[in-house]
Amino acid sequence: MSRANGDEAIRRPRMTPDREAELLVATIDVLREVSYDELSMDMVAARARCSKATLYRLWPGKPQIVAAALYATRPMKPEEIDTGTLRGDLLAMAQVLGPLGENDMPLFAALGHAVLTDETLGEAMRETLVRPWFADLIEVVDRAVERGELSHRPSATDFLPQILLSLMLTRPMLEGIPADTDYLSRCVDQSLLPALLHS
């Protein structure tokens, strides 16, 4: 490589956060149209109007970009929810998760099968999506402790993310009904909140 080419590579602008977000949104858009198995980095690159090499500079492969896209485009960011009370925060979460469960069930169902059969995707999902998002969800309880609303983090906190997210996935399968906002709100008042306040 010549010195000129080396200097050019050094001066190459870094990917901006906004552009990276566009790439991740493009990934989700393609994933909504095809199955995970059918999705390819070529398809994402074409949708995002970038080179495949650009994608590979940021993510090792399809499992990692899909997991990153799901986390980046998650509709509920608990750090942006702060009603001043634990109940208010939990209900606000239910209001966001309800429509998500209704609109994105086919996507989650398809990914659920892929996660079980693709070890690399499963690890990418746990590392990039599940663990960070679970930590985000638990943060609403930690804020309640900081406010003095709770004296400590209740042991039931460990089950908060699994309960909310599993209801979204299992109610349509078991009852044929989406876990809408009303259903999740009743779960908050009748199950989650009592458990958190008395454990």
Side-chain angles (χ1 to χ4, degrees):
M1 177 183 292
S2 69
R3 181 177 178 81
N5 288 339
D7 289 344
E8 182 181 350
I10 292 172
R11 289 196 300 270
R12 179 183 296 161
R14 288 181 174 273
M15 178 75 64
T16 66
D18 287 345
R19 180 54 176 153
E20 184 173 330
E22 289 175 3
L23 302 183
L24 295 173
V25 168
T27 302
I28 291 297
D29 288 343
V30 175
L31 190 59
R32 291 182 192 281
E33 297 172 6
V34 303
S35 69
Y36 173 79
D37 288 339
E38 295 172 337
L39 183 141
S40 69
M41 298 293 266
D42 287 303
M43 296 170 70
V44 174
R47 179 65 59 89
R49 295 184 173 87
C50 70
S51 70
K52 190 165 61 170
T54 296
L55 300 180
Y56 278 113
R57 281 199 299 270
L58 296 168
W59 299 281
K62 180 170 74 169
Q64 292 79 17
I65 194 173
V66 166
L70 289 168
Y71 184 72
T73 60
R74 69 200 189 285
M76 186 186 65
K77 299 175 176 61
E79 67 272 15
E80 298 175 0
I81 295 176
D82 192 354
T83 65
T85 67
L86 177 60
R87 179 177 185 269
D89 288 352
L90 292 173
L91 290 176
M93 289 164 56
Q95 289 173 357
V96 177
L97 288 174
L100 174 66
E102 293 185 78
N103 299 330
D104 284 342
M105 268 310 302
L107 175 63
F108 289 127
L111 280 172
H113 174 73
V115 166
L116 292 176
T117 57
D118 187 322
E119 184 177 343
T120 304
L121 174 64
E123 181 54 36
M125 292 280 282
R126 287 186 288 273
E127 185 67 26
T128 304
L129 173 66
V130 175
R131 290 168 190 150
W133 202 17
F134 276 23
D136 289 344
L137 293 171
I138 288 172
E139 186 179 327
V140 301
V141 177
D142 291 336
R143 286 205 304 267
V145 175
E146 292 172 3
R147 286 193 300 264
E149 191 175 358
L150 298 173
S151 61
H152 62 283
R153 179 196 281 189
S155 57
T157 304
D158 294 341
F159 303 100
L160 169 62
Q162 290 92 333
I163 289 174
L164 280 176
L165 299 179
S166 64
L167 286 176
M168 290 170 50
L169 297 174
T170 59
R171 195 185 194 206
M173 179 178 65
L174 298 178
E175 300 182 53
I177 306 170
D180 58 14
T181 298
D182 176 69
Y183 181 78
L184 293 177
S185 296
R186 287 190 288 117
C187 174
V188 167
D189 278 332
Q190 298 173 24
S191 180
L192 289 176
L193 200 57
L196 292 170
L197 294 176
H198 301 290
S199 66

